[in-house]
Amino acid sequence: MELVIGNEAELANLVANEFSKTLQRKPDAVFGLATGSSPLRIYDELALRVKSGAISFSKASAFTLDEYVGLPEGHPESYRQVIQRDFLGKVDFQADNVKSLNGTAADLEKECLDYESAIDASGGVDLQILGIGSNGHIAFNEPGSSFSSSTGIRLLSPQTRQDNSRFFGGDLDAVPKYCMTQGLGTIMKARKIVLVANGLNKAEAISQLVEGPISSFWPATILQHHPDTTVFIDEEAASKLTMADFYKYSAANQWPAK
Ligand code: F6R
């Protein structure tokens, strides 16, 4: 696992570079998209690059990570609406090329099975962007999730519902109890993963992710087993790392030596 510590603008630029490199190598790449506040600066940077003609998602496709169960279609906080507002509406994916879980499907279990199959049928995700919950969840895989889980229906933890109530005007009761999410096993199939986190609220989860033992109690720690994951964090999110200085030193001294 690689770790980069920087300010928000630097991180957005570096993560956007990963998207650009992927598109350069493979214009029809498959992207995995996270919702939430962590990727917003990156999505804005990507939108600027599309606008300037530097990159294009017109041949690419994408899968979002997760969705609440039961929010009515078109609800402003349904993740399909959020990703549309925050990213898709500003870039040039073809609408049919972006898939999301439908939290109002008549058969939610079938919806999850079909989604997992669709990811596999696409050839798999080339670049997955992740945030991390304050309790160490990735997508909506809460503490205790199986490391080999595939896309399915889950119960949200009280902590996550509390954290996300800010998107529902602070009304905890308005936050759905259940969700659908790509599993940890699904995410681990992505060829490359970038995880972004900022703020003190994420410091403990980042310390566990980078320096803690691998444990389903902190689900993101499974990424220590992923062959190509880079974690991009700001100083606050890095504040509980015991070896922050060494990570900065190694980021500045990548092989081949300059
Ligand atoms: C969202 C998702 C979640 C978020 C996480 C952090 O699609 O998968 O795991 O990435 O809850 O959320 P923010 O970025 O809002 O702090």
Side-chain angles (χ1 to χ4, degrees):
M1 185 186 288
E2 307 255 327
L3 184 71
V4 178
I5 302 171
N7 66 39
E8 231 191 325
E10 287 163 353
L11 298 177
N13 202 42
L14 289 170
V15 178
N17 288 348
E18 296 301 331
F19 277 75
S20 296
K21 277 189 268 175
T22 304
L23 283 169
Q24 211 164 24
R25 188 174 47 79
K26 191 176 175 189
D28 61 347
V30 181
F31 292 93
L33 304 177
T35 38
S37 48
S38 307
L40 291 179
R41 284 288 291 262
I42 297 152
Y43 291 159
D44 285 347
E45 174 61 29
L46 288 169
L48 285 176
R49 292 185 189 193
V50 167
K51 205 171 167 201
S52 74
I55 58 170
S56 170
F57 290 99
S58 60
K59 296 195 171 95
S61 54
F63 289 88
T64 60
L65 277 174
D66 41 16
E67 181 57 283
Y68 293 111
V69 166
L71 286 183
E73 215 181 309
H75 188 290
E77 290 311 322
S78 90
Y79 277 0
R80 179 70 208 200
Q81 290 298 314
V82 173
I83 197 77
Q84 183 63 35
R85 209 165 51 228
D86 292 345
F87 186 46
L88 299 175
K90 304 174 186 171
V91 292
D92 61 344
F93 280 100
Q94 292 182 43
D96 286 350
N97 286 351
V98 182
K99 304 270 184 282
S100 297
L101 285 154
N102 176 1
T104 59
D107 184 341
L108 293 174
E109 276 162 21
K110 180 172 182 307
E111 172 75 9
C112 292
L113 285 173
D114 289 351
Y115 201 68
E116 184 81 21
S117 303
I119 296 173
D120 289 340
S122 74
V125 170
D126 293 295
L127 179 64
Q128 173 69 56
I129 181 165
L130 295 176
I132 186 170
S134 63
N135 64 359
H137 72 224
I138 48 175
F140 273 146
N141 295 280
E142 299 283 32
S145 298
S146 157
F147 283 155
S148 57
S149 54
S150 50
T151 305
I153 304 165
R154 308 285 154 76
L155 179 67
L156 287 168
S157 70
Q159 176 72 58
T160 299
R161 291 185 68 232
Q162 180 66 48
D163 287 349
N164 287 9
S165 63
R166 70 190 194 279
F167 297 120
F168 291 81
D171 180 4
L172 187 57
D173 291 337
V175 186
K177 269 171 80 174
Y178 296 96
C179 64
M180 302 150 90
T181 181
Q182 290 189 31
L184 293 173
T186 320
I187 292 167
M188 286 293 283
K189 287 188 277 185
R191 284 183 266 281
K192 184 173 184 65
I193 295 176
V194 290
L195 183 146
V196 279
N198 41 62
L200 280 179
N201 188 36
K202 301 294 172 70
E204 180 60 25
I206 289 297
S207 140
Q208 294 292 335
L209 164 63
V210 179
E211 297 180 339
I214 296 172
S215 158
S216 64
F217 190 65
W218 290 95
T221 57
I222 187 60
L223 297 175
Q224 292 180 23
H225 271 309
H226 190 272
D228 190 356
T229 288
T230 306
V231 174
F232 295 85
I233 53 175
D234 70 1
E235 293 283 352
E236 288 191 341
S239 60
K240 288 196 175 169
L241 291 172
T242 58
M243 299 214 306
D245 287 344
F246 173 68
Y247 306 135
K248 288 179 188 168
Y249 173 76
S250 45
N253 290 282
Q254 295 280 314
W255 181 262
K258 288 189 187 117

